[in-house]
Amino acid sequence: MARKYSLLKQTLASLCFILALYAIINTLISSTATLKLDRSFPFDIANSVMVSDELDSQEIDFPNTSGKSVFPVKIYHYDVPTRFTFGVIEHHGIARGGKTIGKITELKYPGHQHMAEWFLFSDLLRPESERVESAVVRVMDPEEADLFYVPFFSSLSLIVNPIRPAAGSNQQQRKLAYSDEETQKALMEWLEKQEYWKRNNGRDHVIIAQDPNALYKVIDTVKSSILLISDFGRLRSDQASLVKDVIIPYSHRISTYNGDIGIENRKTLLFFMGNRYRKEGGKIRDMLFNILEKERNVIIKHGTQSRENRRAATHGMHTSKFCLNPAGDTPSACRLFDSVVSLCVPVIVSDRIELPFEDVIDYSKIAVFFDSVSAVKPGFLVSKLRKISKQRILDYQREMKEVKRYFEYTDSNGTVNEIWRQVSQKLPLIKLMINREKRVIHREVDKPDCSCLCANQTGIRARL
């Protein structure tokens, strides 16, 4: 028994020795591995916490998915002679019986449907601290600029001379007679002397021509620039396109409806008030008058621009479920934007219309579209509108209320900011075309090719 006990003690001692030896060897191996790891990753737990804290405290730039540029595009605002800005306002007033004043920069821009040129001009003159969330930033050094803005009140210039001269026009007013064509030519003479225009033939310049007839005399000279326009009604395919240009909204002339959505106070089914007789695509208006003026619960009136008619149109739009938006002399018309801010569902009858900001606005959610052929079938349009449910109308109104800021030029984050965002998105294409023109060989083409969207048809001679 004593022998077995002695043997057990020896066995236990051997096991203890082996375990102790294993522990010593394991400790040595672990220390060596830790040393190697420290050399590869030279930080300890404390340092790890500090690095994490630093990352938490830093502002990290992530890709912007809101549509706004993380780095605003730099734009240079030309200091053009006042002849092309406030001088146009002055002549507009004189032609209507006004008098010249000493400081023309204090003149007020007259209200009309093509006022975008004034709002963009004014925006770039504001301090940058007031230009919240704009996609462009004004730079004072043209060498820093990505784009160049040419401020010319081209739409106002077009209507300086009224159809009927002001009563009592005198000798002085006749001497101050204004010519839109001459002003356009003078602008181009001035612009073509500018170093930065000559550098890329104006391709990196932004020019507004909102009235469809604006700049008609010099449009071929500026067609390489980014044009801000209402539609393509008076422009050829080699002059403008969705690829390089920006469709912008009219300035609405109807007061904004500030009430909530609903149809209880909108007793009229369909409302229209405007000029019955138009040219070109607008001829459909007369046909629509003929088939709609006797329809029950439909108001369709002929009316021209006046304060009284504007008040009547405001009341009509604010108390109607649907507002008719037929083509004018060109595919677009101010009435569409009047309808949206009135929460009156637009009924668009214009086969060639282009709409602003379609990358962010789904117009099928705020408007009803009819092709021209179907719209003039007796009873067709009205019967379709009567079938639209109350809930669907409320859905249209709710969506209009969400997007109407895009059509408010006076909203601090409205139309102006959206126009600049659209312009900023053209910059990569402009840079591509500028570089492309440096190597393209002179070519003559009989038919439009892909370049007609963003380059002159006659081509560019390669520079040596």
Side-chain angles (χ1 to χ4, degrees):
M1 186 70 182
R3 185 177 180 182
K4 288 182 180 180
Y5 179 72
S6 176
L7 185 61
L8 182 60
K9 285 178 65 178
Q10 291 178 1
T11 302
L12 290 172
S14 298
L15 286 172
C16 289
F17 175 76
I18 292 171
L19 289 172
L21 184 62
Y22 173 78
I24 293 170
I25 294 172
N26 187 59
T27 300
L28 290 172
I29 292 174
S30 178
S31 298
T32 304
T34 301
L35 180 61
K36 290 180 178 179
L37 187 64
D38 287 344
R39 289 172 179 171
S40 300
F41 303 98
F43 60 86
D44 56 19
I45 293 175
N47 284 334
S48 176
V49 172
M50 288 175 65
V51 171
S52 176
D53 289 343
E54 287 174 5
L55 288 174
D56 287 342
S57 65
Q58 290 176 348
E59 293 184 2
I60 304 173
D61 289 330
F62 292 101
N64 191 317
T65 58
S66 67
K68 295 185 174 65
S69 175
V70 177
F71 303 103
V73 168
K74 298 175 182 177
I75 194 165
Y76 180 76
H77 184 275
Y78 274 114
D79 184 17
V80 300
T82 55
R83 171 182 181 178
F84 306 118
T85 53
F86 289 99
V88 180
I89 301 176
E90 181 181 38
H91 278 285
H92 183 275
I94 291 172
R96 285 154 183 79
K99 297 180 180 179
T100 58
I101 65 171
K103 194 172 182 181
I104 64 172
T105 54
E106 295 179 354
L107 288 170
K108 184 179 179 181
Y109 188 97
H112 66 111
Q113 61 185 353
H114 299 301
M115 290 183 65
E117 58 196 19
W118 170 255
F119 288 108
L120 294 174
F121 171 80
S122 302
D123 177 66
L124 287 178
L125 295 181
R126 290 193 298 159
E128 283 301 318
S129 59
E130 296 179 13
R131 303 183 64 252
V132 181
E133 296 189 27
S134 180
V136 301
V137 58
R138 184 186 179 191
V139 293
M140 306 310 292
D141 183 357
E143 281 296 326
E144 299 177 7
D146 300 306
L147 297 172
F148 299 80
Y149 184 69
V150 182
F152 171 45
F153 296 161
S154 57
S155 294
L156 184 64
S157 177
L158 190 69
I159 60 170
V160 160
N161 294 318
I163 297 174
R164 291 182 293 275
S169 296
N170 55 34
Q171 186 74 20
Q172 182 186 8
Q173 288 172 332
R174 285 195 289 273
K175 286 181 179 178
L176 293 171
Y178 183 85
S179 169
D180 175 46
E181 288 189 5
E182 292 302 317
T183 307
Q184 292 180 47
K185 292 177 184 177
L187 174 73
M188 290 314 306
E189 289 174 4
W190 181 87
L191 199 54
E192 288 174 338
K193 294 176 183 177
Q194 306 307 308
E195 174 188 352
Y196 297 96
W197 174 271
K198 293 187 287 186
R199 185 173 64 180
N200 294 309
N201 194 33
R203 187 172 290 285
D204 49 5
H205 285 52
V206 182
I207 298 177
I208 186 166
Q210 189 177 20
D211 188 294
N213 292 312
L215 297 180
Y216 67 94
K217 197 70 177 177
V218 299
I219 194 66
D220 279 322
T221 313
V222 300
K223 66 181 181 180
S224 290
S225 302
I226 301 173
L227 301 178
L228 308 182
I229 53 181
S230 295
D231 60 36
F232 302 120
R234 299 279 166 83
L235 298 168
R236 302 189 310 268
S237 60
D238 66 317
Q239 293 173 332
S241 76
L242 285 174
V243 175
K244 76 170 184 69
D245 303 314
V246 177
I247 300 294
I248 63 175
Y250 289 68
S251 303
H252 66 81
R253 304 296 289 148
I254 297 299
S255 302
T256 300
Y257 180 76
N258 294 315
D260 204 353
I261 64 172
I263 62 173
E264 290 75 16
N265 296 321
R266 294 179 181 267
K267 305 300 182 183
T268 303
L269 175 70
L270 180 65
F271 177 83
F272 174 85
M273 186 173 183
N275 199 323
R276 176 172 183 165
Y277 306 103
R278 307 303 292 180
K279 295 172 287 186
E280 301 174 24
K283 291 178 181 178
I284 195 173
R285 290 190 180 190
D286 187 41
M287 292 184 275
L288 288 168
F289 263 81
N290 288 330
I291 66 172
L292 292 174
E293 57 188 353
K294 293 183 180 179
E295 287 282 355
R296 176 176 55 87
N297 208 20
V298 171
I299 297 176
I300 183 164
K301 295 180 179 179
H302 172 74
T304 55
Q305 286 286 343
S306 70
R307 290 184 180 179
E308 183 180 346
N309 284 344
R310 201 153 51 238
R311 284 194 293 269
T314 297
H315 176 75
M317 286 189 166
H318 289 188
T319 57
S320 300
K321 299 178 183 70
F322 297 95
C323 286
L324 185 63
N325 290 267
D329 291 339
T330 61
S332 65
C334 180
R335 195 164 290 95
L336 168 62
F337 311 103
D338 291 336
S339 301
V340 173
V341 300
S342 298
L343 299 189
C344 182
V345 182
V347 177
I348 298 175
V349 185
S350 181
D351 297 340
R352 296 176 55 240
I353 194 169
E354 293 294 346
L355 299 167
F357 316 150
E358 283 202 83
D359 60 332
V360 292
I361 299 174
D362 181 354
Y363 282 87
S364 68
K365 293 181 178 180
I366 66 171
V368 183
F369 292 83
F370 289 92
D371 66 273
S372 298
V373 174
S374 299
V376 295
K377 293 178 181 178
F380 180 83
L381 188 149
V382 171
S383 65
K384 290 291 185 182
L385 295 181
R386 294 193 198 282
K387 292 177 182 178
I388 296 177
S389 68
K390 173 183 176 180
Q391 184 56 51
R392 186 74 181 104
I393 296 173
L394 294 176
D395 290 341
Y396 282 126
Q397 291 180 340
R398 188 175 293 106
E399 191 67 23
M400 282 190 286
K401 198 164 186 178
E402 285 294 317
V403 303
K404 71 176 183 178
R405 71 175 177 87
Y406 289 107
F407 310 119
E408 296 280 10
Y409 277 93
T410 55
D411 190 311
S412 61
N413 192 28
T415 314
V416 171
N417 272 10
E418 185 57 28
I419 291 173
W420 289 135
R421 187 185 73 82
Q422 298 280 336
V423 168
S424 71
Q425 291 181 331
K426 303 295 181 182
L427 183 59
L429 170 71
I430 299 307
K431 289 183 175 180
L432 181 153
M433 294 310 301
I434 287 172
N435 289 334
R436 180 176 180 271
E437 287 177 350
K438 294 175 182 177
R439 56 87 183 164
V440 172
I441 303 300
H442 181 79
R443 65 197 185 281
E444 294 290 346
V445 292
D446 297 325
K447 296 180 180 180
D449 60 15
C450 65
S451 297
C452 74
L453 299 175
C454 43
N456 294 339
Q457 283 295 290
T458 52
I460 302 295
R461 186 177 298 278
R463 299 174 185 172
L464 300 177

